[in-house]
Amino acid sequence: MAKYVFVTGGVVSSLGKGITAASLGRLLRARGLQVVLQKLDPYINVDPGTMNPFQHGEVFVTDDGGETDLDLGHYERFTGEHLGRDSNVTTGSVYQAVIQKERRGDYLGDTVQVIPHITNEIKRRVRRLGDRTGADVVIVEIGGTVGDIEILPFLEAARQLRNDIGPGNYAHIHVTLMPYIGPSEELKTKPTQHSVAELRSRGIAPDAIVVRSDRRIEEAERRKISLFCDVPLAAVINAVDATSLYEIPLNLHDDGALDQVICDRLGLETPPPDLTAWRDMVARMAQATSPVRIGLVGKYVDLPDAYLSVVEALRHGALANNVALDLQWVSADDLEGMLAGSYLEGIDGIVVPGGFGVRGIEGKIQAVRYAREKGIPFLGLCLGLQCAVIEFARSKLGLTGANSAEFDPTCAHPVIDLMEDQQQVEDMGGTMRLGLYAAKLTEGSHSRRLYGEELIYERHRHRYEVNNRYRDDLAAAGMLIAGVSPDDRLVEIIELPDHPYFVASQFHPEFKSRPDDPHPLFVGLMAAAKAHRDAGPGVAIRSQETIPERI
């Protein structure tokens, strides 16, 4: 039977519960344990697929087509595991399942209530993940903050689960904040005490407390937390602000051995974690100080979490090239109707990421044109590919009315059109082309050289595609269709062979990039951007010089 670790947070939101859970997953995997992670989210939405990125951040997509919380991206990047839709549970999905059972008569006339019906459904989903995967340890993060009314059913389910499986199979980590008060020059333990008291009022006593702070806490503060919160001193772990997310597993191990505390609590006997490769990766990241400037042109740049996986994939690509990422956020709205050069001058590479809706589209198209005309390395992702096709059709084919049917259903030349499979779809939630699909790469293309293989599998999230009526015209004008679906119906990658690096994918490569296994398309972009920087302004770089033979 799997053992379960629950992670909650208190005091304030955005404390890093997800990073704490992901870091523990990394440490336990380094001890040879099989680990799977799960996020319990308290919002009523069935999944985050229809939520505004300004409110929720990016939607992370799993292999099996789940639209999930962005924390699953952290889980995958830290542990290397490929998670599925079962790793994200929302209040909305739980209530939907319970109501469907009630409508079918599954409850045999019972009055359906939060306890036991909702809590039983939550427990069923948590335990099902452990049973299905055969994991040694299931790490479950409960979203929100202790004291929020909407997370009470999840806390109650966790309390019940501890009794169901026995204390030797259950551990609880609580993440809190220790603020520093400047005038008195003190770190305050009182918020942590109140947060733990709130958790205990729900019947849950934490086995370990991870204390977030902007500076290292002293032994006296640790002892005070241990005394007032009834947690062993060794289980009070200080998580000091780090310069890189990827340092945090090392900090949690070196500064308090969180992984050992949890193993002791669960009765797991393992060798010490082998963190050699991870330490080397973090050291190389810290030593890379030569900056390469990348402009990320998006609609949601006021909330960086909207492009979290893209940013992390850029960091991974920078690490593979031994350079530091100098990220410049560029609002697509600012580029509309203006010269892109006023915002993009001095940029070594340009990324146009995914998104939906017409706002900012013309600005993204201007960024694509600037990259194409100036020879700036460019990577388009999903909507970025569609903008690249629209720009190319307008500029090279002379189709002034070229557009996407998403933005202008009556346009003269819908070079991007709704997929045939989407024609009759009405519901917006979970109905796109989602999850892992195969693509064939064209021999001799940049992408084929970067991947080093002909058949690849990548994650998708889109309704619109390149209109096949224009494929021959695009190719005749110089655009290489570098990747297609195995049945040749869908364009997956486009390239411009006479450009230093102009690659765009209909899929989302950022979802599969890892710090210790960077994605080839991001490695290629950063290599090309580095070459562009080193050559200096006005110097043309041949594409072959910027592409590694094989990753």
Side-chain angles (χ1 to χ4, degrees):
M1 184 178 70
K3 295 176 183 289
Y4 294 84
V5 180
F6 279 76
V7 180
T8 54
V11 186
V12 295
S13 60
S14 301
L15 269 181
K17 300 187 303 296
I19 297 297
T20 300
S23 298
L24 178 62
R26 176 80 241 177
L27 294 170
L28 295 181
R29 280 207 67 204
R31 288 174 172 267
L33 296 168
Q34 184 178 349
V35 179
V36 67
L37 292 98
Q38 186 177 54
K39 176 72 178 291
L40 306 181
D41 265 316
Y43 48 76
I44 305 298
N45 305 65
V46 174
D47 60 47
T50 59
M51 296 172 70
N52 189 325
F54 275 128
Q55 295 184 22
H56 188 73
E58 78 170 7
V59 175
F60 189 80
V61 177
T62 56
D63 282 352
D64 61 1
E67 293 179 289
T68 73
D69 183 79
L70 59 82
D71 274 314
L72 268 73
H74 290 312
Y75 302 162
E76 288 203 355
R77 285 186 287 271
F78 276 65
T79 67
E81 297 285 347
H82 286 226
L83 303 176
R85 62 175 71 243
D86 285 353
S87 282
N88 198 191
V89 177
T90 70
T91 295
S93 68
V94 170
Y95 272 81
Q96 182 184 61
V98 169
I99 290 171
Q100 288 172 346
K101 290 178 181 179
E102 185 272 333
R103 293 289 83 188
R104 290 196 304 263
D106 292 0
Y107 296 121
L108 302 177
D110 279 356
T111 300
V112 179
Q113 299 176 290
V114 173
I115 301 172
H117 300 95
I118 295 299
T119 51
N120 282 348
E121 178 65 18
I122 294 169
K123 290 190 295 180
R124 185 186 71 82
R125 294 185 180 209
V126 172
R127 299 196 68 173
R128 180 180 65 184
L129 182 62
D131 295 339
R132 181 179 61 79
T133 59
D136 299 310
V137 180
V138 180
I139 302 173
V140 183
E141 176 195 351
I142 299 179
T145 305
V146 169
D148 296 345
I149 190 170
E150 59 263 31
I151 76 167
L152 295 182
F154 292 116
L155 294 177
E156 173 60 18
R159 186 195 68 78
Q160 292 179 17
L161 184 65
R162 179 196 59 194
N163 295 332
D164 292 346
I165 64 178
N169 297 309
Y170 177 101
H172 198 106
I173 299 171
H174 193 52
V175 183
T176 70
L177 175 70
M178 182 178 288
Y180 179 76
I181 307 301
S184 63
E185 297 184 347
E186 288 182 292
L187 282 162
K188 290 296 187 179
T189 66
K190 192 63 71 175
T192 294
Q193 295 178 44
H194 282 301
S195 180
V196 172
E198 178 70 27
L199 183 64
R200 292 172 68 90
S201 74
R202 304 301 172 185
I204 299 173
D207 299 295
I209 297 176
V210 173
V211 183
R212 287 291 313 277
S213 63
D214 64 352
R215 63 204 68 206
R216 191 170 300 281
I217 65 176
E218 300 296 333
E219 186 74 5
E221 282 94 6
R222 291 181 65 242
R223 289 187 179 279
K224 191 173 183 180
I225 292 172
S226 172
L227 175 65
F228 282 91
C229 298
D230 194 25
V231 172
L233 180 62
V236 179
I237 313 295
N238 188 199
V240 184
D241 291 352
T243 56
S244 165
L245 292 178
Y246 304 111
E247 295 177 18
I248 296 174
L250 303 178
N251 294 345
L252 291 177
H253 174 73
D254 295 342
D255 293 348
L258 176 64
D259 49 315
Q260 187 62 58
V261 170
I262 297 303
C263 284
D264 291 345
R265 182 69 181 83
L266 297 176
L268 293 168
E269 296 184 5
T270 72
D274 183 0
L275 298 170
T276 305
W278 195 266
R279 289 187 190 277
D280 176 66
M281 181 268 292
V282 171
R284 287 187 294 109
M285 190 173 287
Q287 292 164 4
T289 56
S290 176
V292 170
R293 180 170 294 181
I294 301 295
L296 194 153
V297 181
K299 296 168 58 173
Y300 313 113
V301 295
D302 290 335
L303 181 67
D305 273 358
Y307 302 110
L308 181 61
S309 291
V310 177
V311 174
E312 292 307 310
L314 286 169
R315 296 191 199 282
H316 308 161
L319 176 62
N321 286 279
N322 295 313
V323 296
L325 173 65
D326 179 8
L327 186 63
Q328 303 295 307
W329 296 95
V330 182
S331 172
D333 292 332
D334 292 340
L335 300 185
E336 291 192 11
M338 300 181 65
L339 293 176
S342 62
Y343 284 90
L344 298 174
E345 185 177 1
I347 293 291
D348 301 314
I350 294 173
V351 175
V352 175
F356 299 92
V358 69
R359 185 176 65 81
I361 292 303
E362 292 302 324
K364 290 188 174 188
I365 291 172
Q366 289 299 321
V368 173
R369 176 173 297 177
Y370 184 84
R372 181 180 59 79
E373 292 179 345
K374 300 295 184 180
I376 308 296
F378 167 80
L379 179 61
L381 308 172
C382 196
L383 180 61
L385 174 143
Q386 297 173 10
C387 290
V389 170
I390 293 169
E391 192 282 324
F392 192 83
R394 292 177 183 179
S395 300
K396 291 297 187 179
L397 298 181
L399 304 178
T400 55
N403 211 328
S404 167
E406 178 186 4
F407 312 133
D408 183 1
T410 62
C411 65
H413 297 285
V415 292
I416 305 296
D417 205 357
L418 187 65
M419 296 173 60
E420 184 177 337
D421 297 344
Q422 293 285 317
Q423 296 289 340
Q424 304 304 317
V425 172
E426 295 182 359
D427 291 343
M428 293 294 100
T431 57
M432 285 184 277
R433 186 177 187 236
L434 290 165
L436 204 67
Y437 289 90
K440 295 186 303 181
L441 302 184
T442 303
E443 182 68 38
S445 64
H446 294 353
S447 302
R448 176 70 177 270
R449 288 199 296 274
L450 283 165
Y451 277 95
E453 50 192 330
E454 179 185 11
L455 192 66
I456 62 170
Y457 294 85
E458 294 285 0
R459 298 176 186 179
H460 295 67
R461 186 177 184 249
H462 61 104
R463 298 185 193 277
Y464 290 79
E465 253 285 355
V466 175
N467 190 334
N468 286 325
R469 288 164 41 201
Y470 295 90
R471 272 172 66 171
D472 291 343
D473 292 339
L474 292 168
M479 177 174 285
L480 175 64
I481 306 302
V484 295
S485 58
D487 60 9
D488 199 40
R489 289 194 309 119
L490 303 176
V491 173
E492 295 282 10
I493 305 180
I494 63 159
E495 298 178 0
L496 297 183
D498 59 351
H499 191 280
Y501 190 88
F502 193 102
V503 178
S505 67
Q506 185 57 72
F507 51 82
H508 288 268
E510 66 270 22
F511 292 148
K512 292 182 66 177
S513 187
R514 310 285 182 260
D516 48 355
D517 185 18
H519 194 282
L521 296 187
F522 286 90
V523 175
L525 171 71
M526 295 305 298
K530 179 183 178 182
H532 179 272
R533 180 205 64 182
D534 293 344
V539 179
I541 302 296
R542 293 188 302 115
S543 60
Q544 291 84 354
E545 294 175 344
T546 67
I547 306 300
E549 282 300 315
R550 185 180 176 88
I551 301 303

